[in-house]
Amino acid sequence: MELQNLKDASDTVNFAQAVKKGLGKHQGLYFPTDIQPMRNIDELLKMPLVERSQHIIRHLVGDEMAPDLLDLMISTAFNFEAPLVSVSDNIYSLELFHGPTLAFKDFGGRFMAQCLAKISEGKPVTILTATSGDTGAAVAHAFHGIDNINVVILFPKGKISPLQEKLFTTLGGNIHTVAINSDFDACQQLVKSAFDDPDVRDGLHLNSANSINISRLLAQVCYYFEAVSQLPDDKRAQSVFAVPSGNFGNLTAGIIAKTLGLPIKRFIAATNSNDTVPRYLSSGEWNPKATIPTISNAMDVSQPNNWPRIEALVEKGYFEKSLLKGEAVDEESTQVAMKQLQSLGYISEPHAAIAYRALTRQLEDSEIGIFLGTAHPAKFRETVENVLGQPIHLPQPLVDVAGKASLASEIGDDYQSLKEYLFATLT
Ligand SMILES: *Cc1c(COP(=O)(O)O)cnc(C)c1O
């Protein structure tokens, strides 16, 4: 697999290098130079999740890594299911929250951990990542206890639900967590600054593990196939995916799945009030505003870092931009959507509810809507209980962490503080 830096076409790397480096020169994202469609889609759709995903990953990565090895990485990473649940006549939820941290980020995080552990071959690595919610937990669990890999997770203080925070701040060991006194965009900026600083980047063998790492995207392609495989044959070509979006890694993966030949009719980019992309899709103007805190806080992102990859898919002719519509859902409508789902007998949380709302606004009669259930409702317990007025059953992984103390440190939002913290903690 060859990948190109989207900010400097002369910077090309293979899959292993892209996984290791995360970002290229000038903070450019790596993107496949070429994406070849898969020929045997019907056959693939008959296979179970793990076997099918092994085919997809081998196809994308190519002969650079041994097929047996890739197969083992996938079967280790994907040890949970992604059921497609019928919510109404023509709308389904793809439940991506049955992994160890109850969010879709387990797919990407667990595969990335497999890739990095293999590719770094026992040399020390520091994973530095910012999280607005679920990445942190997924990455922390995926790497916890892996030799020679230290993980540092920055998160905006007080802007993540308490239980969600506990999922990654209570692990200890090689997992270091830092509360930043600011918002998610500031955390993301700190990570970028660290990657730009050779002392830190080279001295600590930095690697990023947020949604910019290409291995995460490849893993996420697989569950779009899983969704379509669970639809009746005659409905597949009519499928419309509504993707609750923050940094737009999830949507990028969906568009790659379509590029590989998966029958998907079109996509809806669903956001909360941080609506940079829906505004851009309707006006053509890229005009990010200050980030607004919402109840769907994992999507409180006003400068989505995967967006250049979607532009690249369009520019290279893989994807027709008219097949992507935006939909911004405000706080009130998010709550209305959660209640509508409740009346249909389906308990959901704000992120998925936003995508559901986008479908009910845009879906045409002949179409089949699939919204991505990105997190278990119990991860947003306080909000869900407040809005729905009923108690939420806590699944076991949350019961386990609820009583544990947070081990997180706390620093300001300036780069110097982060640098000091990193050298004090890791050397
Ligand atoms: C991360 C996250 C999103 C946004 O996904 P992106 O790939 O960043 O667009 C949506 N919902 C939940 C629950 C998340 O954790």
Side-chain angles (χ1 to χ4, degrees), residues 15 33 63 74 131 163-164 204-205 238-239 242 259 266 295 316 318 323 325 401 416:
F15 177 67
T33 312
D63 52 17
I74 283 291
T131 186
L163 271 176
Q164 197 172 356
L204 300 175
H205 308 283
Q238 288 306 310
S239 59
T259 304
R266 63 187 183 95
I295 56 171
K316 288 168 182 262
Y318 292 128
L323 299 180
K325 294 270 184 299
V401 294
Q416 197 53 37

Side-chain angles (χ1 to χ4, degrees), residues 121-396:
E121 291 167 333
K123 294 190 200 78
V125 176
T126 302
I127 310 285
L128 175 63
T129 190
T131 186
S132 61
D134 297 330
T135 325
V139 166
H141 278 260
F143 284 103
H144 189 216
I146 294 188
D147 281 349
N148 294 309
I149 299 189
N150 268 302
V151 177
V152 179
I153 297 170
L154 311 186
F155 63 97
K157 189 185 172 201
K159 298 201 169 69
I160 296 183
S161 89
L163 271 176
Q164 197 172 356
E165 196 177 310
K166 287 238 169 129
L167 267 175
F168 63 94
T169 57
T170 56
L171 287 168
N174 62 332
I175 310 299
H176 312 276
T177 51
V178 189
I180 304 292
N181 246 316
S182 189
D183 61 15
F184 173 66
D185 285 325
C187 297
Q188 203 153 251
Q189 194 50 51
L190 284 173
V191 170
K192 284 187 177 174
S193 302
F195 274 89
D196 272 348
D197 179 348
D199 291 353
V200 172
R201 188 183 60 224
D202 304 333
L204 300 175
H205 308 283
L206 274 202
N207 190 291
S208 166
N210 60 20
S211 56
I212 59 180
N213 195 291
I214 193 71
S215 60
R216 293 173 45 100
L217 283 186
L218 300 196
Q220 291 179 251
V221 169
C222 300
Y223 55 65
Y224 285 89
F225 280 77
E226 178 65 9
V228 173
S229 81
Q230 293 179 51
L231 277 181
D233 279 13
D234 58 325
K235 290 184 173 176
R236 290 176 178 168
Q238 288 306 310
S239 59
V240 176
F241 279 82
V243 185
S245 295
N247 268 315
F248 283 80
N250 210 350
L251 181 61
T252 307
I255 297 178
I256 294 174
K258 182 167 169 57
T259 304
L260 291 177
L262 183 66
I264 293 177
K265 187 178 172 200
R266 63 187 183 95
F267 293 93
I268 304 173
T271 69
N272 58 29
S273 303
N274 296 287
D275 59 351
T276 308
V277 167
R279 281 187 291 110
Y280 168 72
L281 289 172
S282 58
S283 74
E285 273 172 52
W286 187 260
N287 185 17
K289 299 179 181 166
T291 310
I292 304 165
T294 70
I295 56 171
S296 51
N297 58 38
M299 290 158 43
D300 291 350
V301 181
S302 56
Q303 309 207 39
N305 60 16
N306 269 297
W307 187 256
R309 286 177 165 146
I310 294 182
E311 292 287 352
L313 283 156
V314 173
E315 271 160 33
K316 288 168 182 262
Y318 292 128
F319 179 67
E320 177 72 50
K321 210 174 199 168
S322 62
L323 299 180
L324 175 62
K325 294 270 184 299
E327 186 72 50
V329 178
D330 65 19
E331 292 290 87
E332 198 190 321
S333 299
T334 303
Q335 301 190 18
V336 169
M338 288 169 67
K339 287 180 196 148
Q340 277 174 341
L341 283 166
Q342 182 187 30
S343 72
L344 292 167
Y346 191 75
I347 302 301
S348 194
E349 50 73 43
H351 305 77
I354 282 175
Y356 171 73
R357 183 68 171 176
L359 282 176
T360 59
R361 285 181 188 163
Q362 292 197 10
L363 205 63
E364 289 163 18
D365 285 346
S366 59
E367 293 176 331
I368 300 297
I370 298 175
F371 64 95
L372 302 195
T374 44
H376 192 289
K379 284 194 90 167
F380 299 92
R381 181 186 182 181
E382 292 82 358
T383 306
V384 175
E385 290 183 344
N386 269 338
V387 174
L388 300 186
Q390 74 174 73
I392 295 291
H393 168 76
L394 279 197
Q396 200 54 43

